[in-house]
Amino acid sequence: MLHKYPNVVPIPDSKNKDRIIENLQASSITLSNEEFKKLEKALAQHQVFGHRGHNESENSDFSKKWKNK
């Protein structure tokens, strides 16, 4: 995620302490451009469901209230 969007910080959800620590350690991983392209290609083959960020947020009443500020 940080490779693609350096100004976005993913916040993984977990109630398990070990899982939280494991998720935090992912920030130390650096992908090469080739590795990133392979992941992007594999992910593009799957349909994604659910909320995916700004596109949905921009259409919400909450976001509209902040646009002119």
Side-chain angles (χ1 to χ4, degrees):
M1 179 67 81
L2 294 174
H3 186 87
K4 189 172 184 176
Y5 306 107
N7 59 338
V8 172
V9 179
I11 303 173
D13 183 29
S14 183
K15 292 182 171 92
N16 180 302
K17 177 185 171 187
D18 292 332
R19 180 65 64 197
I20 293 169
I21 292 169
E22 180 182 33
N23 288 335
L24 289 171
Q25 291 171 342
S27 67
S28 65
I29 295 172
T30 303
L31 298 175
S32 69
N33 286 333
E34 184 62 29
E35 290 169 322
F36 183 75
K37 287 177 186 177
K38 286 180 182 180
L39 285 172
E40 286 286 287
K41 184 177 178 181
L43 289 171
Q45 296 176 12
H46 299 278
Q47 185 175 1
V48 178
F49 297 92
H51 181 71
R52 291 289 163 246
H54 76 279
N55 291 333
E56 291 86 351
S57 295
E58 287 178 353
N59 294 321
S60 74
D61 289 337
F62 179 80
S63 292
K64 289 177 185 175
K65 291 177 184 175
W66 291 96
K67 278 192 174 187
N68 296 325
K69 296 203 180 223

